[in-house]
Amino acid sequence: MSRDAGTASEALNTHLTAVKEQSFIKLLCDEGRFERARQLQFSFQSLHVDFSKQRLTSETVALLTQWAGECGLEEKRAALFGGEPVNASENKPALHMAARWPAEVAAPTGMETAAAFCQQQHTKLAGLAKKLHKGEWRGVTGEAITDVVHIGVGGSDLGPKLVSEVLGDTLGKRFVRAHYVSTMDGSQLLPLMQSLNPATTLIVLASKSFSTADTQFNVRTALAWLRDALGVDTDTLCRHQLLGVSAKTEKMSAFGIPEDHQLVFPESIGGRFSVWSAIGVTIALELGVEVFDQLLAGAHAVDKHFMQTPLAQNIPFLLGAVGVWNTQFLDIPSHLVLPYDGRLKSLPPYLQQLEMESNGKSTKVDGQPVTHVTCPIVWGDVGPNAQHAFYQLVHQGSHTVSADFIAVARRNRHHAPQVAQAMADQENLTLANCLAQSQLFALGDAAITDRLRDSTSLGYRGNQPNTVILLETLDAWHLGALLAMYEHKVFVQSVLWGINPFDQPGVELGKKLATSLYDSLSDPWPGADESEHEIVNDAGTRQLLKQLRQWRGEDTQDQEL
Ligand code: F6P
């Protein structure tokens, strides 16, 4: 495999050979293991990250740090926070940190305008949320809003949905019920239209581009439902029961959303980095502005840590560098995200978009091809459930994976005494499983103690490097910190790989092809025009179209393949 030239990267290659020759199990079990664990664990406030079960040594970390220096990580980090056009292909900055920059702290030079704009929109968002919480936001019939249907997809859905799930459960208190709709087929919308009261439902249309078909079609259906049920026109609905969130004010206005129901975020905030911006409005509507602010505060604390901490102790840097070591150097093609907390069930899909849409690229910023693998395949599930699904493959299958185990020390729930004890037992069981699986991933058979040896069949492959991330508790602050940590991890990796993490050109063509096929499915068959034939030029797809039409009772007899 070819590696980039450079002093530290050459040294890393030499070092790689030494690491590969050294038994991973021995590395984890020999007498130096206590010192190793001490050197490879890092804390930031009440987050604790353990890299000691990674297949590396302190020397690896030192070489990765040196390599990052050669790649200009610190200069590029300054450019990121300074609002320089780090998104080179779109000639835009990437200022998601501006959306969580506190008003009372001076923003870095280059970020001030975006931070001020986001703070102004945040004030507007808070005003709307408070109006709703006081029961003063009324639908067209004059009744107060009780339910919010947040319609968006990708970054306009995954972040707010994850936060809603985690914190709604943690806090046990909601101002209104929030429902998330993303699938373009209307399957999530249908049960809501059957169960919600149309007079008290607010639609949040969340779309940075305001042109994503998935979202536009869902909104069209939702508005048709409200129009039909309430007997009013779209303009009236837009004034009372629709809130728009986008970077495109002109499109929101053209749609009929009045200015006071528009929330805007800057073009410089990418969709998958946008939960902190007005896209997070549903979090504030459902759980309160204070909770949303705590989320932003946790993320901002990590921004400061990332900006100010030397790389050798910088947790986002280490997460990113260790990930690059696993993927590019140790050739591990997939990475598991395993939260040992059911509230984090949507963290794997959130990180799938964040990591794979950002770094799933093989062309460098300078246009040259990358000569090694980049972003791994990110997958995962709630750890305890995954144990009963795909851990068999991890432990005894033929694939090597890396993994992040994420666990929470304290749940802070308030239960009746008998339930409290039973819940505490469940939490201990969960933590025990997390630590046990982390050991077993790394050590395989060597994790089996003498006491268990006689009663346990062997054959656990081990050698699956993993990181354990411990959070003291899972409140809004810690969740914000965790997500920001991963955002900066993605940035670090993009710098080490020389790619632009802030565009997503690979998702565009599919949308265009689908538009053409949509036209062909919606038009009467004989009317399908030549441009469709040009695009749908593979026989298999044409046969599938024909089969679909037959099952829908459309006449396809004259159609040749
Ligand atoms: O899938 C492509 C993508 O553009 C994502 O980057 C984005 O988060 C999602 O679609 C939704 O886009 P929008 O917010 O513009 O509707």
Side-chain angles (χ1 to χ4, degrees), residues 325-447:
W325 173 250
N326 283 333
T327 314
Q328 183 184 333
F329 290 87
L330 294 177
D331 293 323
I332 301 175
S334 85
H335 180 70
L336 273 167
V337 178
L338 299 167
Y340 272 69
D341 190 309
R343 292 170 294 178
L344 286 166
K345 62 177 183 285
S346 291
L347 184 64
Y350 178 84
L351 293 181
Q352 281 180 323
Q353 189 203 17
L354 182 65
E355 300 211 13
M356 296 200 282
E357 200 171 69
S358 298
N359 285 336
K361 291 162 192 168
S362 47
T363 305
K364 292 192 190 190
V365 179
D366 61 11
Q368 295 301 309
V370 183
T371 53
H372 48 72
V373 289
T374 54
C375 185
I377 296 166
V378 177
W379 56 303
D381 200 351
V382 174
N385 294 2
Q387 289 178 193
H388 302 281
F390 55 74
Y391 276 28
Q392 169 63 38
L393 175 145
V394 175
H395 290 314
Q396 295 186 325
S398 50
H399 298 280
T400 305
V401 299
S402 60
D404 285 354
F405 289 87
I406 299 151
V408 179
R410 286 192 297 107
R411 304 269 177 145
N412 287 341
R413 295 188 194 211
H414 304 289
H415 301 291
Q418 304 87 326
V419 178
Q421 186 52 53
M423 285 299 289
D425 293 344
Q426 289 198 255
E427 287 159 18
N428 286 340
L429 180 70
T430 309
L431 288 172
N433 271 273
C434 178
L435 299 182
Q437 290 294 342
S438 159
Q439 280 187 308
L440 200 49
F441 268 52
L443 294 169
D445 286 344

Side-chain angles (χ1 to χ4, degrees), residues 153-156 207-210 212 271-272 353 357 504 507 511:
V153 71
S156 295
S207 176
K208 179 180 173 185
S209 62
F210 213 81
T212 305
R272 53 193 172 275
Q353 189 203 17
E357 200 171 69
Q504 55 285 327
V507 299
K511 294 181 194 170

Side-chain angles (χ1 to χ4, degrees), residues 445-466:
D445 286 344
I448 301 168
T449 57
D450 289 342
R451 192 172 59 80
L452 290 176
R453 194 160 291 273
D454 291 342
S455 58
T456 311
S457 60
L458 300 180
Y460 290 81
R461 68 199 304 274
N463 278 306
Q464 316 273 35
N466 63 83

Side-chain angles (χ1 to χ4, degrees), residues 172-389:
K173 174 181 163 225
R174 293 175 165 91
F175 289 97
V176 285
R177 289 177 292 266
H179 314 269
Y180 288 86
V181 168
S182 58
T183 58
M184 62 166 72
D185 65 351
S187 56
Q188 292 167 317
L189 204 48
L190 191 60
L192 295 176
M193 294 189 298
Q194 286 163 348
S195 60
L196 297 186
N197 178 355
T200 62
T201 298
L202 173 73
I203 307 291
V204 173
L205 193 177
S207 176
K208 179 180 173 185
S209 62
F210 213 81
S211 61
T212 305
D214 320 42
T215 301
Q216 292 294 329
F217 275 55
N218 270 320
V219 167
R220 197 169 69 165
T221 306
L223 292 182
W225 165 60
L226 293 179
R227 261 196 322 266
D228 186 47
L230 301 170
V232 292
D233 59 19
T234 305
D235 279 352
T236 311
L237 281 174
C238 284
R239 283 199 303 279
H240 295 273
Q241 288 181 230
L242 183 65
L243 179 61
V245 189
S246 179
K248 306 282 187 197
T249 34
E250 67 297 346
K251 288 191 182 172
M252 288 197 278
S253 300
F255 192 89
I257 304 175
E259 198 276 325
D260 58 342
H261 283 182
Q262 294 180 12
L263 290 170
V264 188
F265 62 105
E267 279 290 348
S268 57
I269 298 182
R272 53 193 172 275
F273 299 89
S274 66
V275 62
W276 328 100
S277 74
I279 284 288
V281 63
T282 304
I283 301 166
L285 296 177
E286 182 193 20
L287 304 170
V289 178
E290 292 73 16
V291 171
F292 189 43
D293 286 347
Q294 277 301 303
L295 183 87
L296 306 190
H300 177 69
V302 167
D303 290 343
K304 280 200 295 188
H305 167 82
F306 180 54
M307 275 195 303
Q308 294 164 359
T309 311
L311 295 185
Q313 289 91 42
N314 190 309
I315 291 177
F317 165 69
L318 293 165
L319 274 176
V322 167
V324 169
W325 173 250
N326 283 333
T327 314
Q328 183 184 333
F329 290 87
L330 294 177
D331 293 323
I332 301 175
S334 85
H335 180 70
L336 273 167
V337 178
L338 299 167
Y340 272 69
D341 190 309
R343 292 170 294 178
L344 286 166
K345 62 177 183 285
S346 291
L347 184 64
Y350 178 84
L351 293 181
Q352 281 180 323
Q353 189 203 17
L354 182 65
E355 300 211 13
M356 296 200 282
E357 200 171 69
S358 298
N359 285 336
K361 291 162 192 168
S362 47
T363 305
K364 292 192 190 190
V365 179
D366 61 11
Q368 295 301 309
V370 183
T371 53
H372 48 72
V373 289
T374 54
C375 185
I377 296 166
V378 177
W379 56 303
D381 200 351
V382 174
N385 294 2
Q387 289 178 193
H388 302 281

Side-chain angles (χ1 to χ4, degrees), residues 543 545-554 556-557:
Q543 186 60 38
L545 278 172
K546 191 172 175 191
Q547 185 65 69
L548 285 167
R549 290 177 177 283
Q550 265 173 11
W551 277 337
R552 291 164 152 209
E554 292 164 21
T556 60
Q557 274 185 2

